[in-house]
Amino acid sequence: MRAIIVGSGAGGATIARELSQKGMEVIILESGGHFKPFTRRLSWTEPLRKIGLMGNEKTITRLFPYLETTRSSEELVLVRGHGTGGSTVLSCGNMVRADEGLKEIGLNLDSEFQELEDLIGVKEFPKQRWRPLTQKMFQSAEKMGLEPQATPKAVDAMKCVSCGLCELGCANQSRWDSRRFLEDAIQNGAILKIKTPVKKVLLENGRVSGVEIKSGISSKAIYGDLVVLSAGGIGTAQILKASGLPAQDKLWTDIVLTLGGVAPGAKMLKEPPMVWYSQQKDYILSPYVDILSHWFHKPWKNVSINDRVGMMVKLADLEEGAVYENGKVHKEISQDDKQKLEVAVSLAREIMENSGVSGPYVKGMYNGGHLGGTVPLEKSDVGEMRPNYLPEGLWIGDLSLAPRSQGMPTILLTAALGLKVARKILEIEPK
């Protein structure tokens, strides 16, 4: 049996690894190229940034093509990975157990979470290597009753050089990403095809027969017995709609808004981002320097990266974004979400002020990089881990399956969904 897996992020790589281990023929199609981390120093951008010549968020894609940005509305920028490893190569390596909305539909991923944590080697980053200001902010959050906790991470502290640029790729491979699962799959006999964007799914007599890929200026078919779409909340929905199949206009993004303050010599980049977090209803708070805001948000331009202090709000937003067949995305920030963000920002400011951080306090760019909800599971789907309206042989293996926004890191959730889906494929699909 041949399985075609579209996408090489947390979901796709996990599924490829699992299926190939069990002897299935696996072809992995990745629309981008082989990922390479950003290795330039940020200092060269400072003169351009200060005089406003860095342009907008599209500039980063020109400099670093693996990070793709999409403006889904006037206020909101969506970010996703484009290359081997998907968005895992551009992450902070956070491995929190996020399962908002899943147990309500009867889906328990605790065993998958535990298996992946053990396999990846999830640990907290040593507190003695946190920056002094980060420790002060943690203590401030404790005194406020916000119950902060160290973030479980897929980072080898012995290899980590504390460059703070996890989201631009880890140059010394101290942070796990899904390319390690890809390597396992390839060793098991899987075939990886890069720069192979999938246009649509092919159907024959009501069952999947393969995919159509873009090949130069033309198209060609790759045939298989089953297809797993793991192209993320946007990519998976685009492929489905281009195939005449349904995807729901329920895109969620986990909206991020970082409050910026100032503390001379803070040097927050001298540690991994988000070494601790405080979980509140609908959002988390975490220390974080937002590189997008630093480069492209004008209110942030007068403070150097060494003096910039950031406190992130990651919000579980309303699930009401739309993905279109032509590649466009429409997702706005609702008034309800803005009100929740204002409450969260006020707490972030209090944490920072109590830690000696000064103003001017400025909000960063609204952005979102957890893209899900476009093919959400319902209670009746959980038994087979696939929406029952999909044609036979077509599976979804990414965050699209999660019906609710998390307001939390989602790599572990995506991989756990992938693992659950892979095992259902092995159980259900004909041998």
Side-chain angles (χ1 to χ4, degrees), residues 36-37 60 87 89 111 121 229 241 245 348 419:
K36 296 178 182 178
I60 197 168
S87 294
V89 294
S111 63
L229 298 181
K241 290 191 173 184
L245 297 169
L419 187 57

Side-chain angles (χ1 to χ4, degrees), residues 280-332:
Q280 305 301 309
K281 187 178 185 301
D282 298 320
Y283 61 87
I284 62 168
L285 300 167
S286 188
Y288 175 75
V289 175
D290 185 356
I291 297 296
L292 275 178
S293 295
H294 176 73
W295 271 338
F296 307 116
H297 194 50
K298 289 182 180 179
W300 280 44
K301 74 176 185 177
N302 294 324
V303 176
S304 78
I305 196 69
N306 287 330
D307 301 334
R308 171 62 71 199
V309 180
M311 184 64 64
M312 168 202 281
V313 177
K314 187 187 295 292
L315 176 74
D317 54 307
L318 292 180
E319 301 88 6
E320 51 185 21
V323 179
Y324 302 102
E325 181 184 335
N326 62 6
K328 292 187 177 180
V329 182
H330 181 73
K331 166 73 178 173
E332 298 197 22

Side-chain angles (χ1 to χ4, degrees), residues 242-258:
S243 308
L245 297 169
Q248 298 190 35
D249 294 337
K250 294 183 178 180
L251 177 71
W252 53 265
T253 67
D254 281 355
I255 295 172
V256 168
L257 177 62
T258 302

